[in-house]
Amino acid sequence: MRKHLTLLLLCCSFCLAAQIPVKYTLPPCGTAPGISPWLKDYASRPQEFVSARSLDTLYVGIQLHLLARDNGTGRFSPERVLAAFCQLNEDYAATGIRFYFKDDWNLINSTAWYQHANIPQGIDMMLTNNVPDALNAYFASNVAGNCGYNLPYAGVAVAHNCAATGDHTWAHEVGHALSLPHPFIGWEGKTYTTLNPTPDTLTYDYTYFHDTIDTQIPAPLDTALVEYLDGSNCSIAADLFCDTKPDYLSYRWNCDAQSNSTVKQIDPAGGEFYSDGTLFMSYSFDECQTRFSDEEVAAMRANLMTEKASWLTDVPTEGEITGAPDMLLPLDGENAPVSGAELRWASVPNATHYLIQYTRISSFIVKEFELVTTDTSLVLGNLFVDKNYYWRVRAFNHWYACTPFSPQQSFYTVPVTAITSPESDNWRCYPSLISRGQALTLEFGEEWQQQNLQCSVVDVTGRVMWQTPLRSSNARIRLDLPSGNWPAGVYHLILAGEKGVKTRSLMLQGG
Ligand SMILES: [Zn+2]
């Protein structure tokens, strides 16, 4: 019986674990509680921070740092980076704050930082790599065991597992970076319960909030007033905002259909309430979160226009990207050599970067290859032979990254045996082993381009099986041979033009 019970328990905990996303098994945020001197000053006289720019869009430069292991593996994929960046801008759309990539992504290979177990390692990572005059954001596999954290004097860190489309950890940490505390400040590290009377004040430890931790012995402490439901102390209690209602929940919680907590809380005067799960700065599930409050937005904007003014840029310096790249080659159904195949696409106005992906799975659920380049072509390494591959491209720049992929195209890999390299003879033809009905591909080097050519296929006796004039106006031409009735065996392709006559041998398979 006991054995069965153990088995049952194991099974249940396994089932439960399978249903909970990894992100909800992590503490939501490792940011040390604290009200910055700037926020205290702002909260005491917010009307004095209203300026002529109050209605302008504020453009904030982000320097992205993408961590990988020492050997370069594990890095957040470019497609996921772009998705997270689009989610961040979507979360801030109503605030009039817009983020752009200040510079290209900084790729860092360091296993120790990629999965750093504690905040001091994160401090070391940030102070080593930060760039000035930007919001520095770090993406890593493990960020001190949390979904994310913010160091007020350094930058934000976000865990890969908490940065999918629909996740709001990045928005939350940027909120901290722009001066916002949790609505439940003071309750961090404590568990609210109705079993005890709710205190009027809370003492919290803000080690790591200030960059002078070495001199703070014992651990620095501060006091927060507990916020009342009736709003009587809202401007001096908790986060100092009056339009974020009381919230005492410092653990991850799910909400009801109205986005309120299911846990009832009671303020020190006996007022009963439920927490507001719509706030990005709360610890509610991502599915509950939709917004910053008006006062939070005003504080973030004022913080940017004063303390963080060096992060701002006046206007976008790159134009909008309106479409996806046109794919040039290979196009659907074409052959490509199994090694050294070239992908080529048309440049897109205003694009500075292209994200290329290829895979053998047409849904692109699994990507075999993903790369960002500033070029409009890419030569591939070794692929699997006799396989269909699907590829697609997406254009972006530092300001416009929420762009669509091109419609995917496919190609079929053929052996490179006996394909002469275009360097040696300035043209090539493949595959050399073909089936009936299979197309050939001709590729021309510069020397053979823009020429009128005569192309023929002859059998071993010299009999002309097929002939066509063609002009090598493209670097690559597809030849559909009418080989359906040809006997299996050896053939020769003959190319005649101003550069002379060249031949290649072909083997037509039987069956
Ligand atoms: Zn937080």
Side-chain angles (χ1 to χ4, degrees), residues 28-31 148-149 172-173 176 180-182 184 188 281-283:
C29 171
T31 301
Y149 64 84
H172 175 107
E173 299 308 336
H176 283 314
L180 302 186
H182 295 136
F184 53 84
E188 288 91 346
M281 298 313 293
S282 77
Y283 271 4

Side-chain angles (χ1 to χ4, degrees), residues 332-492:
D332 262 353
E334 285 191 326
N335 291 323
V338 69
S339 170
E342 185 187 18
L343 306 181
R344 201 179 300 171
W345 55 95
S347 70
V348 170
N350 299 320
T352 56
H353 293 74
Y354 298 93
L355 167 59
I356 299 100
Q357 295 176 335
Y358 70 69
T359 175
R360 276 176 293 158
I361 299 166
S362 61
S363 65
F364 279 82
I365 285 178
V366 177
K367 266 78 74 175
E368 290 178 43
F369 179 88
E370 200 170 352
L371 180 103
V372 170
T373 177
T374 55
D375 216 339
T376 52
S377 66
L378 182 71
V379 175
L380 307 183
N382 292 327
L383 305 174
F384 291 100
V385 73
D386 293 329
K387 298 288 179 200
N388 276 313
Y389 279 84
Y390 304 87
W391 69 291
R392 61 184 187 180
V393 188
R394 172 174 169 179
F396 65 97
N397 64 27
H398 300 85
W399 290 82
Y400 294 88
C402 306
T403 49
F405 275 103
S406 58
Q408 69 193 48
Q409 294 285 339
S410 69
F411 59 89
Y412 187 78
T413 52
V414 295
V416 284
T417 338
I419 295 182
T420 47
S421 76
E423 292 77 31
S424 66
D425 215 11
N426 220 248
W427 73 287
R428 65 177 179 175
C429 165
Y430 57 80
S432 53
L433 181 65
I434 56 172
S435 311
R436 291 195 179 91
Q438 188 178 359
L440 283 179
T441 302
L442 293 182
E443 281 183 12
F444 302 102
E446 242 171 58
E447 192 187 323
W448 277 78
Q449 285 180 27
Q450 304 303 331
Q451 287 196 44
N452 293 316
L453 302 166
Q454 183 75 18
C455 183
S456 316
V457 175
V458 301
D459 68 10
V460 283
T461 68
R463 182 162 61 114
V464 176
M465 305 298 291
W466 176 76
Q467 200 165 51
T468 185
L470 58 87
R471 181 161 175 82
S472 54
S473 48
N474 294 319
R476 173 187 260 232
I477 289 176
R478 175 189 167 117
L479 291 182
D480 286 302
L481 302 181
S483 57
N485 298 321
W486 297 0
V490 174
Y491 293 83
H492 300 289

